[in-house]
Amino acid sequence: MQLGIVGLGKMGGNMRDRLRAGGHTVVGYDQNQEISDSTSLADMVDQLGGEQRIVWLMVPVQAIDAVLKDLTPLLKAGDIVIDGGNTRWSEDGPRAAALAASGIHFLDCGVSGGVWGKDLGYALMVGGPAEVVETCLPIFQTLKPDGEHGYVHAGDHGAGHFAKMVHNGIEYAVMQAYAEGWELLEAADTVTDHVPAIFESWQDGTVIRSWLLELLVRALKADDDLSEIRGYAEDSGEGRWTVEAAIDMAVPVPAISSALFARFTSRQEDSPAMKMIAAMRNQFGGHAVMPETED
């Protein structure tokens, strides 16, 4: 299939490479012309042939509406726009309605996989009408990991981004539990072995083994006491949205909300647990870490 991708950063650029390796024709556009395949949105759309054009957005949430404002006049009825960014789910319905006024279809797609997705595949959570999802299925099948799992049509508009929001909320809580366990082991006088070796041993045979645990071990091999990382961790926004949605629906999420507030705590004082959170975020998503500096 042919498609355009707007935004060729850490995720969008790697997705372009994976799609091309899978036999698709991809025309990318980015404001950074050194990595762009086209000089403008109009040039990108012009390069897309076929009766129905598909454009996938991988831009920050703050830029989506500006991009759509410029992109919509360039498309025609029957074309498809997919928003693959970390967008707030409640904004998908209004954007779908606005595009529908021009006859343009819209899908929201939560994407997980970070910097590893190019080789391992991306977990995809899609929201939108079934017939539009079916049209784009070859794209989703190429981006997802090999095997049975890694893709779901979660429901209508907003369902994909809602599922990704909850996914990220769970991620917050799991990372916080690992980080707190690490801090407790570091503080214990009774633990005489190397603490990173304990986490490494947990990669097989235990009920808490996971990819996040593997990435934690990877981070400790690079910096066994995390002395090079400041205990400061950002939140992408999806943790906040998860807690807000839970409040709106009267669903208790104490682990997720506690993990979110722990990140806020990290901005007030240096926290050993937050060093681990920052290290794991860097491992799976390439998120920047703040170097430790002496006062």
Side-chain angles (χ1 to χ4, degrees):
M1 297 186 71
Q2 296 189 72
L3 72 153
I5 294 182
V6 181
L8 301 172
K10 296 173 186 175
M11 293 279 282
N14 282 345
M15 290 169 67
R16 174 180 60 178
D17 293 344
R18 185 172 177 87
L19 286 165
R20 284 177 173 170
H24 300 278
T25 299
V26 183
V27 181
Y29 170 69
D30 196 278
Q31 290 182 330
N32 180 359
Q33 286 294 292
E34 293 183 3
I35 60 175
S36 186
D37 306 313
S38 51
T39 58
S40 64
L41 286 174
D43 181 37
M44 180 197 71
V45 172
D46 285 344
Q47 291 187 50
L48 296 175
E51 293 284 326
Q52 189 175 48
R53 292 167 296 189
I54 301 172
V55 178
W56 190 306
L57 307 184
M58 289 300 294
V59 299
V61 62
Q62 300 88 345
I64 293 172
D65 287 325
V67 171
L68 285 174
K69 181 180 178 181
D70 293 336
L71 178 64
T72 301
L74 304 173
L75 301 178
K76 65 180 187 302
D79 290 344
I80 300 171
V81 173
I82 304 172
D83 177 11
N86 281 338
T87 302
R88 189 167 187 146
W89 67 277
S90 57
E91 298 172 356
D92 291 323
R95 290 193 178 110
L99 288 168
S102 299
I104 300 168
H105 303 296
F106 177 82
L107 298 176
D108 56 280
C109 183
V111 181
S112 181
V115 296
W116 300 83
K118 176 180 176 180
D119 297 322
L120 302 180
Y122 300 90
L124 306 173
M125 295 143 270
V126 183
E131 62 274 14
V132 183
V133 173
E134 185 68 24
T135 298
C136 300
L137 194 56
I139 296 170
F140 301 141
Q141 293 289 355
T142 300
L143 287 173
K144 69 177 285 296
D146 296 335
E148 181 181 355
H149 304 296
Y151 161 82
V152 63
H153 179 198
D156 209 345
H157 296 303
H161 281 145
F162 192 93
K164 178 58 163 50
M165 177 190 74
V166 174
H167 166 281
N168 281 24
I170 293 170
E171 176 188 295
Y172 273 51
V174 173
M175 291 171 67
Q176 184 66 26
Y178 282 139
E180 291 174 6
W182 176 77
E183 183 173 357
L184 183 58
L185 285 167
E186 285 282 351
D189 293 334
T190 54
V191 176
T192 57
D193 201 353
H194 195 43
V195 171
I198 296 173
F199 280 94
E200 189 169 357
S201 75
W202 289 346
Q203 291 180 102
D204 293 305
T206 71
V207 296
I208 64 168
R209 62 188 183 273
S210 70
W211 187 41
L212 277 175
L213 178 61
E214 293 175 19
L215 295 176
L216 184 160
V217 170
R218 182 185 176 95
L220 289 174
K221 285 183 176 178
D223 181 10
D224 66 357
D225 61 357
L226 303 182
S227 60
E228 298 178 7
I229 299 176
R230 180 180 167 191
Y232 178 105
E234 284 286 2
D235 65 290
S236 63
E238 296 209 354
R240 299 186 190 209
W241 302 340
T242 305
V243 172
E244 289 171 1
I247 292 170
D248 291 341
M249 300 175 190
V251 175
V253 290
I256 294 173
S257 59
S258 294
L260 173 65
F261 286 119
R263 295 200 183 186
F264 296 161
T265 300
S266 80
R267 297 164 203 182
Q268 299 172 342
E269 59 182 280
D270 199 29
S271 164
M274 284 304 115
K275 288 177 180 281
M276 179 57 71
I277 297 292
M280 283 189 281
R281 291 182 81 243
N282 175 258
Q283 286 292 324
F284 71 74
H287 300 291
V289 296
M290 299 182 68
E292 185 64 274
T293 56
E294 296 185 5
D295 295 333

PDB file of all heavy atoms in Angstrom, residues 255-289:
ATOM      1  N   ALA A 255      -2.949   2.328  42.501  1.00  0.00           N
ATOM      2  CA  ALA A 255      -1.556   2.083  42.099  1.00  0.00           C
ATOM      3  C   ALA A 255      -1.127   3.064  41.016  1.00  0.00           C
ATOM      4  O   ALA A 255      -0.027   3.627  41.060  1.00  0.00           O
ATOM      5  CB  ALA A 255      -1.398   0.645  41.615  1.00  0.00           C
ATOM      6  N   ILE A 256      -1.998   3.280  40.034  1.00  0.00           N
ATOM      7  CA  ILE A 256      -1.661   4.187  38.935  1.00  0.00           C
ATOM      8  C   ILE A 256      -1.562   5.625  39.437  1.00  0.00           C
ATOM      9  O   ILE A 256      -0.628   6.356  39.091  1.00  0.00           O
ATOM     10  CB  ILE A 256      -2.696   4.065  37.799  1.00  0.00           C
ATOM     11  CG1 ILE A 256      -2.625   2.672  37.164  1.00  0.00           C
ATOM     12  CG2 ILE A 256      -2.468   5.141  36.741  1.00  0.00           C
ATOM     13  CD1 ILE A 256      -3.717   2.395  36.154  1.00  0.00           C
ATOM     14  N   SER A 257      -2.515   6.032  40.265  1.00  0.00           N
ATOM     15  CA  SER A 257      -2.484   7.410  40.763  1.00  0.00           C
ATOM     16  C   SER A 257      -1.267   7.641  41.647  1.00  0.00           C
ATOM     17  O   SER A 257      -0.638   8.704  41.586  1.00  0.00           O
ATOM     18  CB  SER A 257      -3.775   7.745  41.509  1.00  0.00           C
ATOM     19  OG  SER A 257      -3.982   6.867  42.596  1.00  0.00           O
ATOM     20  N   SER A 258      -0.899   6.653  42.470  1.00  0.00           N
ATOM     21  CA  SER A 258       0.286   6.794  43.318  1.00  0.00           C
ATOM     22  C   SER A 258       1.549   6.911  42.476  1.00  0.00           C
ATOM     23  O   SER A 258       2.455   7.690  42.796  1.00  0.00           O
ATOM     24  CB  SER A 258       0.400   5.606  44.269  1.00  0.00           C
ATOM     25  OG  SER A 258      -0.669   5.592  45.193  1.00  0.00           O
ATOM     26  N   ALA A 259       1.617   6.137  41.389  1.00  0.00           N
ATOM     27  CA  ALA A 259       2.789   6.199  40.513  1.00  0.00           C
ATOM     28  C   ALA A 259       2.893   7.567  39.851  1.00  0.00           C
ATOM     29  O   ALA A 259       3.993   8.107  39.668  1.00  0.00           O
ATOM     30  CB  ALA A 259       2.711   5.102  39.458  1.00  0.00           C
ATOM     31  N   LEU A 260       1.751   8.132  39.471  1.00  0.00           N
ATOM     32  CA  LEU A 260       1.754   9.471  38.867  1.00  0.00           C
ATOM     33  C   LEU A 260       2.262  10.506  39.868  1.00  0.00           C
ATOM     34  O   LEU A 260       3.125  11.322  39.548  1.00  0.00           O
ATOM     35  CB  LEU A 260       0.343   9.825  38.402  1.00  0.00           C
ATOM     36  CG  LEU A 260       0.147  11.268  37.904  1.00  0.00           C
ATOM     37  CD1 LEU A 260       0.967  11.516  36.635  1.00  0.00           C
ATOM     38  CD2 LEU A 260      -1.323  11.551  37.657  1.00  0.00           C
ATOM     39  N   PHE A 261       1.745  10.457  41.085  1.00  0.00           N
ATOM     40  CA  PHE A 261       2.155  11.440  42.078  1.00  0.00           C
ATOM     41  C   PHE A 261       3.613  11.257  42.479  1.00  0.00           C
ATOM     42  O   PHE A 261       4.286  12.223  42.845  1.00  0.00           O
ATOM     43  CB  PHE A 261       1.237  11.377  43.301  1.00  0.00           C
ATOM     44  CG  PHE A 261      -0.120  11.965  43.040  1.00  0.00           C
ATOM     45  CD1 PHE A 261      -1.266  11.193  43.154  1.00  0.00           C
ATOM     46  CD2 PHE A 261      -0.252  13.291  42.662  1.00  0.00           C
ATOM     47  CE1 PHE A 261      -2.518  11.736  42.899  1.00  0.00           C
ATOM     48  CE2 PHE A 261      -1.506  13.838  42.404  1.00  0.00           C
ATOM     49  CZ  PHE A 261      -2.640  13.070  42.517  1.00  0.00           C
ATOM     50  N   ALA A 262       4.112  10.035  42.381  1.00  0.00           N
ATOM     51  CA  ALA A 262       5.532   9.806  42.671  1.00  0.00           C
ATOM     52  C   ALA A 262       6.413  10.553  41.676  1.00  0.00           C
ATOM     53  O   ALA A 262       7.486  11.044  42.025  1.00  0.00           O
ATOM     54  CB  ALA A 262       5.842   8.306  42.632  1.00  0.00           C
ATOM     55  N   ARG A 263       5.952  10.639  40.433  1.00  0.00           N
ATOM     56  CA  ARG A 263       6.729  11.405  39.445  1.00  0.00           C
ATOM     57  C   ARG A 263       6.730  12.888  39.783  1.00  0.00           C
ATOM     58  O   ARG A 263       7.723  13.578  39.569  1.00  0.00           O
ATOM     59  CB  ARG A 263       6.185  11.161  38.043  1.00  0.00           C
ATOM     60  CG  ARG A 263       6.356   9.720  37.599  1.00  0.00           C
ATOM     61  CD  ARG A 263       6.289   9.553  36.108  1.00  0.00           C
ATOM     62  NE  ARG A 263       6.398   8.148  35.743  1.00  0.00           N
ATOM     63  CZ  ARG A 263       6.487   7.708  34.505  1.00  0.00           C
ATOM     64  NH1 ARG A 263       6.461   8.571  33.497  1.00  0.00           N
ATOM     65  NH2 ARG A 263       6.584   6.419  34.250  1.00  0.00           N
ATOM     66  N   PHE A 264       5.618  13.370  40.299  1.00  0.00           N
ATOM     67  CA  PHE A 264       5.591  14.769  40.734  1.00  0.00           C
ATOM     68  C   PHE A 264       6.585  14.979  41.875  1.00  0.00           C
ATOM     69  O   PHE A 264       7.276  15.997  41.944  1.00  0.00           O
ATOM     70  CB  PHE A 264       4.189  15.162  41.195  1.00  0.00           C
ATOM     71  CG  PHE A 264       3.139  15.121  40.119  1.00  0.00           C
ATOM     72  CD1 PHE A 264       1.801  15.068  40.445  1.00  0.00           C
ATOM     73  CD2 PHE A 264       3.489  15.142  38.769  1.00  0.00           C
ATOM     74  CE1 PHE A 264       0.819  15.037  39.457  1.00  0.00           C
ATOM     75  CE2 PHE A 264       2.523  15.101  37.786  1.00  0.00           C
ATOM     76  CZ  PHE A 264       1.187  15.050  38.122  1.00  0.00           C
ATOM     77  N   THR A 265       6.647  14.003  42.790  1.00  0.00           N
ATOM     78  CA  THR A 265       7.594  14.088  43.904  1.00  0.00           C
ATOM     79  C   THR A 265       9.027  14.185  43.394  1.00  0.00           C
ATOM     80  O   THR A 265       9.859  14.882  43.973  1.00  0.00           O
ATOM     81  CB  THR A 265       7.448  12.844  44.811  1.00  0.00           C
ATOM     82  OG1 THR A 265       6.115  12.781  45.316  1.00  0.00           O
ATOM     83  CG2 THR A 265       8.428  12.892  45.970  1.00  0.00           C
ATOM     84  N   SER A 266       9.305  13.504  42.291  1.00  0.00           N
ATOM     85  CA  SER A 266      10.673  13.491  41.760  1.00  0.00           C
ATOM     86  C   SER A 266      11.143  14.877  41.364  1.00  0.00           C
ATOM     87  O   SER A 266      12.337  15.124  41.247  1.00  0.00           O
ATOM     88  CB  SER A 266      10.757  12.549  40.550  1.00  0.00           C
ATOM     89  OG  SER A 266      10.263  13.159  39.366  1.00  0.00           O
ATOM     90  N   ARG A 267      10.223  15.788  41.158  1.00  0.00           N
ATOM     91  CA  ARG A 267      10.603  17.131  40.725  1.00  0.00           C
ATOM     92  C   ARG A 267      10.893  18.054  41.903  1.00  0.00           C
ATOM     93  O   ARG A 267      11.301  19.191  41.722  1.00  0.00           O
ATOM     94  CB  ARG A 267       9.496  17.719  39.865  1.00  0.00           C
ATOM     95  CG  ARG A 267       9.319  16.868  38.604  1.00  0.00           C
ATOM     96  CD  ARG A 267       8.026  17.130  37.899  1.00  0.00           C
ATOM     97  NE  ARG A 267       7.691  15.964  37.090  1.00  0.00           N
ATOM     98  CZ  ARG A 267       6.624  15.889  36.321  1.00  0.00           C
ATOM     99  NH1 ARG A 267       5.785  16.893  36.260  1.00  0.00           N
ATOM    100  NH2 ARG A 267       6.386  14.798  35.624  1.00  0.00           N
ATOM    101  N   GLN A 268      10.681  17.526  43.111  1.00  0.00           N
ATOM    102  CA  GLN A 268      10.897  18.332  44.305  1.00  0.00           C
ATOM    103  C   GLN A 268      12.209  17.983  45.002  1.00  0.00           C
ATOM    104  O   GLN A 268      12.815  18.827  45.642  1.00  0.00           O
ATOM    105  CB  GLN A 268       9.724  18.138  45.274  1.00  0.00           C
ATOM    106  CG  GLN A 268       8.395  18.583  44.678  1.00  0.00           C
ATOM    107  CD  GLN A 268       7.216  18.207  45.548  1.00  0.00           C
ATOM    108  OE1 GLN A 268       7.323  17.343  46.420  1.00  0.00           O
ATOM    109  NE2 GLN A 268       6.075  18.828  45.317  1.00  0.00           N
ATOM    110  N   GLU A 269      12.639  16.737  44.872  1.00  0.00           N
ATOM    111  CA  GLU A 269      13.881  16.311  45.485  1.00  0.00           C
ATOM    112  C   GLU A 269      14.409  15.103  44.722  1.00  0.00           C
ATOM    113  O   GLU A 269      13.671  14.391  44.060  1.00  0.00           O
ATOM    114  CB  GLU A 269      13.656  15.957  46.954  1.00  0.00           C
ATOM    115  CG  GLU A 269      12.640  14.840  47.151  1.00  0.00           C
ATOM    116  CD  GLU A 269      12.400  14.538  48.613  1.00  0.00           C
ATOM    117  OE1 GLU A 269      13.226  13.825  49.209  1.00  0.00           O
ATOM    118  OE2 GLU A 269      11.395  15.026  49.150  1.00  0.00           O
ATOM    119  N   ASP A 270      15.704  14.876  44.831  1.00  0.00           N
ATOM    120  CA  ASP A 270      16.296  13.741  44.125  1.00  0.00           C
ATOM    121  C   ASP A 270      15.842  12.443  44.776  1.00  0.00           C
ATOM    122  O   ASP A 270      15.921  12.276  45.989  1.00  0.00           O
ATOM    123  CB  ASP A 270      17.826  13.851  44.169  1.00  0.00           C
ATOM    124  CG  ASP A 270      18.484  12.996  43.101  1.00  0.00           C
ATOM    125  OD1 ASP A 270      17.857  12.783  42.045  1.00  0.00           O
ATOM    126  OD2 ASP A 270      19.617  12.553  43.324  1.00  0.00           O
ATOM    127  N   SER A 271      15.322  11.523  43.981  1.00  0.00           N
ATOM    128  CA  SER A 271      14.746  10.285  44.496  1.00  0.00           C
ATOM    129  C   SER A 271      15.434   9.082  43.864  1.00  0.00           C
ATOM    130  O   SER A 271      15.489   8.970  42.638  1.00  0.00           O
ATOM    131  CB  SER A 271      13.245  10.242  44.178  1.00  0.00           C
ATOM    132  OG  SER A 271      12.740   8.938  44.318  1.00  0.00           O
ATOM    133  N   PRO A 272      15.958   8.141  44.666  1.00  0.00           N
ATOM    134  CA  PRO A 272      16.562   6.932  44.093  1.00  0.00           C
ATOM    135  C   PRO A 272      15.593   6.157  43.206  1.00  0.00           C
ATOM    136  O   PRO A 272      15.958   5.660  42.147  1.00  0.00           O
ATOM    137  CB  PRO A 272      16.962   6.122  45.334  1.00  0.00           C
ATOM    138  CG  PRO A 272      17.178   7.143  46.389  1.00  0.00           C
ATOM    139  CD  PRO A 272      16.139   8.199  46.125  1.00  0.00           C
ATOM    140  N   ALA A 273      14.322   6.042  43.631  1.00  0.00           N
ATOM    141  CA  ALA A 273      13.350   5.309  42.817  1.00  0.00           C
ATOM    142  C   ALA A 273      13.140   5.982  41.476  1.00  0.00           C
ATOM    143  O   ALA A 273      12.979   5.325  40.443  1.00  0.00           O
ATOM    144  CB  ALA A 273      12.009   5.198  43.562  1.00  0.00           C
ATOM    145  N   MET A 274      13.161   7.317  41.460  1.00  0.00           N
ATOM    146  CA  MET A 274      12.951   8.040  40.214  1.00  0.00           C
ATOM    147  C   MET A 274      14.132   7.888  39.260  1.00  0.00           C
ATOM    148  O   MET A 274      13.989   8.013  38.050  1.00  0.00           O
ATOM    149  CB  MET A 274      12.686   9.523  40.493  1.00  0.00           C
ATOM    150  CG  MET A 274      11.292   9.793  41.017  1.00  0.00           C
ATOM    151  SD  MET A 274       9.986   9.176  39.909  1.00  0.00           S
ATOM    152  CE  MET A 274       9.270   7.913  40.951  1.00  0.00           C
ATOM    153  N   LYS A 275      15.316   7.623  39.813  1.00  0.00           N
ATOM    154  CA  LYS A 275      16.449   7.322  38.936  1.00  0.00           C
ATOM    155  C   LYS A 275      16.122   6.090  38.084  1.00  0.00           C
ATOM    156  O   LYS A 275      16.408   6.037  36.889  1.00  0.00           O
ATOM    157  CB  LYS A 275      17.710   7.058  39.767  1.00  0.00           C
ATOM    158  CG  LYS A 275      18.345   8.274  40.431  1.00  0.00           C
ATOM    159  CD  LYS A 275      19.533   7.835  41.267  1.00  0.00           C
ATOM    160  CE  LYS A 275      20.209   9.005  41.965  1.00  0.00           C
ATOM    161  NZ  LYS A 275      21.084   9.745  41.043  1.00  0.00           N
ATOM    162  N   MET A 276      15.512   5.082  38.736  1.00  0.00           N
ATOM    163  CA  MET A 276      15.173   3.856  38.014  1.00  0.00           C
ATOM    164  C   MET A 276      14.070   4.114  36.988  1.00  0.00           C
ATOM    165  O   MET A 276      14.119   3.603  35.865  1.00  0.00           O
ATOM    166  CB  MET A 276      14.738   2.769  39.003  1.00  0.00           C
ATOM    167  CG  MET A 276      14.333   1.460  38.340  1.00  0.00           C
ATOM    168  SD  MET A 276      15.658   0.778  37.317  1.00  0.00           S
ATOM    169  CE  MET A 276      16.797   0.259  38.588  1.00  0.00           C
ATOM    170  N   ILE A 277      13.053   4.910  37.359  1.00  0.00           N
ATOM    171  CA  ILE A 277      11.992   5.248  36.409  1.00  0.00           C
ATOM    172  C   ILE A 277      12.587   5.939  35.195  1.00  0.00           C
ATOM    173  O   ILE A 277      12.277   5.604  34.046  1.00  0.00           O
ATOM    174  CB  ILE A 277      10.937   6.155  37.072  1.00  0.00           C
ATOM    175  CG1 ILE A 277      10.232   5.438  38.236  1.00  0.00           C
ATOM    176  CG2 ILE A 277       9.916   6.640  36.041  1.00  0.00           C
ATOM    177  CD1 ILE A 277       9.360   4.288  37.829  1.00  0.00           C
ATOM    178  N   ALA A 278      13.464   6.915  35.437  1.00  0.00           N
ATOM    179  CA  ALA A 278      14.097   7.640  34.336  1.00  0.00           C
ATOM    180  C   ALA A 278      14.920   6.704  33.469  1.00  0.00           C
ATOM    181  O   ALA A 278      14.910   6.800  32.236  1.00  0.00           O
ATOM    182  CB  ALA A 278      14.968   8.770  34.893  1.00  0.00           C
ATOM    183  N   ALA A 279      15.641   5.763  34.098  1.00  0.00           N
ATOM    184  CA  ALA A 279      16.464   4.829  33.342  1.00  0.00           C
ATOM    185  C   ALA A 279      15.619   3.919  32.467  1.00  0.00           C
ATOM    186  O   ALA A 279      15.948   3.663  31.301  1.00  0.00           O
ATOM    187  CB  ALA A 279      17.311   3.989  34.308  1.00  0.00           C
ATOM    188  N   MET A 280      14.490   3.416  33.002  1.00  0.00           N
ATOM    189  CA  MET A 280      13.619   2.534  32.213  1.00  0.00           C
ATOM    190  C   MET A 280      12.970   3.289  31.065  1.00  0.00           C
ATOM    191  O   MET A 280      12.847   2.773  29.955  1.00  0.00           O
ATOM    192  CB  MET A 280      12.562   1.893  33.114  1.00  0.00           C
ATOM    193  CG  MET A 280      13.085   0.743  33.952  1.00  0.00           C
ATOM    194  SD  MET A 280      11.768  -0.166  34.824  1.00  0.00           S
ATOM    195  CE  MET A 280      11.453   0.939  36.204  1.00  0.00           C
ATOM    196  N   ARG A 281      12.526   4.539  31.312  1.00  0.00           N
ATOM    197  CA  ARG A 281      11.917   5.334  30.232  1.00  0.00           C
ATOM    198  C   ARG A 281      12.919   5.554  29.105  1.00  0.00           C
ATOM    199  O   ARG A 281      12.568   5.533  27.928  1.00  0.00           O
ATOM    200  CB  ARG A 281      11.427   6.684  30.771  1.00  0.00           C
ATOM    201  CG  ARG A 281      10.257   6.587  31.705  1.00  0.00           C
ATOM    202  CD  ARG A 281       9.776   7.962  32.168  1.00  0.00           C
ATOM    203  NE  ARG A 281       8.915   8.580  31.162  1.00  0.00           N
ATOM    204  CZ  ARG A 281       9.192   9.699  30.529  1.00  0.00           C
ATOM    205  NH1 ARG A 281      10.322  10.334  30.752  1.00  0.00           N
ATOM    206  NH2 ARG A 281       8.350  10.201  29.643  1.00  0.00           N
ATOM    207  N   ASN A 282      14.191   5.749  29.472  1.00  0.00           N
ATOM    208  CA  ASN A 282      15.222   5.928  28.456  1.00  0.00           C
ATOM    209  C   ASN A 282      15.423   4.659  27.662  1.00  0.00           C
ATOM    210  O   ASN A 282      15.605   4.693  26.434  1.00  0.00           O
ATOM    211  CB  ASN A 282      16.527   6.355  29.125  1.00  0.00           C
ATOM    212  CG  ASN A 282      17.679   6.447  28.141  1.00  0.00           C
ATOM    213  OD1 ASN A 282      18.522   5.549  28.084  1.00  0.00           O
ATOM    214  ND2 ASN A 282      17.719   7.520  27.371  1.00  0.00           N
ATOM    215  N   GLN A 283      15.351   3.504  28.328  1.00  0.00           N
ATOM    216  CA  GLN A 283      15.599   2.232  27.655  1.00  0.00           C
ATOM    217  C   GLN A 283      14.505   1.884  26.654  1.00  0.00           C
ATOM    218  O   GLN A 283      14.781   1.479  25.534  1.00  0.00           O
ATOM    219  CB  GLN A 283      15.739   1.107  28.689  1.00  0.00           C
ATOM    220  CG  GLN A 283      17.045   1.143  29.446  1.00  0.00           C
ATOM    221  CD  GLN A 283      18.229   0.812  28.568  1.00  0.00           C
ATOM    222  OE1 GLN A 283      18.150  -0.029  27.671  1.00  0.00           O
ATOM    223  NE2 GLN A 283      19.352   1.474  28.813  1.00  0.00           N
ATOM    224  N   PHE A 284      13.221   2.043  27.057  1.00  0.00           N
ATOM    225  CA  PHE A 284      12.168   1.584  26.137  1.00  0.00           C
ATOM    226  C   PHE A 284      11.729   2.635  25.152  1.00  0.00           C
ATOM    227  O   PHE A 284      11.258   2.310  24.064  1.00  0.00           O
ATOM    228  CB  PHE A 284      10.957   1.001  26.899  1.00  0.00           C
ATOM    229  CG  PHE A 284      10.101   1.989  27.631  1.00  0.00           C
ATOM    230  CD1 PHE A 284       9.245   2.837  26.951  1.00  0.00           C
ATOM    231  CD2 PHE A 284      10.112   2.043  29.009  1.00  0.00           C
ATOM    232  CE1 PHE A 284       8.444   3.732  27.625  1.00  0.00           C
ATOM    233  CE2 PHE A 284       9.304   2.929  29.697  1.00  0.00           C
ATOM    234  CZ  PHE A 284       8.471   3.774  29.000  1.00  0.00           C
ATOM    235  N   GLY A 285      11.860   3.905  25.501  1.00  0.00           N
ATOM    236  CA  GLY A 285      11.344   4.937  24.614  1.00  0.00           C
ATOM    237  C   GLY A 285      12.355   5.944  24.122  1.00  0.00           C
ATOM    238  O   GLY A 285      12.005   6.855  23.374  1.00  0.00           O
ATOM    239  N   GLY A 286      13.597   5.814  24.567  1.00  0.00           N
ATOM    240  CA  GLY A 286      14.599   6.788  24.166  1.00  0.00           C
ATOM    241  C   GLY A 286      14.387   8.145  24.798  1.00  0.00           C
ATOM    242  O   GLY A 286      14.949   9.140  24.350  1.00  0.00           O
ATOM    243  N   HIS A 287      13.575   8.180  25.885  1.00  0.00           N
ATOM    244  CA  HIS A 287      13.303   9.462  26.539  1.00  0.00           C
ATOM    245  C   HIS A 287      14.586   9.973  27.201  1.00  0.00           C
ATOM    246  O   HIS A 287      15.361   9.211  27.785  1.00  0.00           O
ATOM    247  CB  HIS A 287      12.215   9.296  27.600  1.00  0.00           C
ATOM    248  CG  HIS A 287      10.924   8.799  27.040  1.00  0.00           C
ATOM    249  ND1 HIS A 287      10.122   9.564  26.214  1.00  0.00           N
ATOM    250  CD2 HIS A 287      10.301   7.597  27.140  1.00  0.00           C
ATOM    251  CE1 HIS A 287       9.048   8.869  25.872  1.00  0.00           C
ATOM    252  NE2 HIS A 287       9.139   7.664  26.420  1.00  0.00           N
ATOM    253  N   ALA A 288      14.798  11.267  27.132  1.00  0.00           N
ATOM    254  CA  ALA A 288      16.018  11.859  27.663  1.00  0.00           C
ATOM    255  C   ALA A 288      16.076  11.711  29.187  1.00  0.00           C
ATOM    256  O   ALA A 288      15.060  11.736  29.872  1.00  0.00           O
ATOM    257  CB  ALA A 288      16.083  13.342  27.283  1.00  0.00           C
ATOM    258  N   VAL A 289      17.281  11.512  29.705  1.00  0.00           N
ATOM    259  CA  VAL A 289      17.501  11.531  31.134  1.00  0.00           C
ATOM    260  C   VAL A 289      18.294  12.783  31.476  1.00  0.00           C
ATOM    261  O   VAL A 289      19.039  13.318  30.658  1.00  0.00           O
ATOM    262  CB  VAL A 289      18.262  10.279  31.607  1.00  0.00           C
ATOM    263  CG1 VAL A 289      17.448   9.032  31.371  1.00  0.00           C
ATOM    264  CG2 VAL A 289      19.614  10.163  30.916  1.00  0.00           C
TER     265      VAL A 289
END
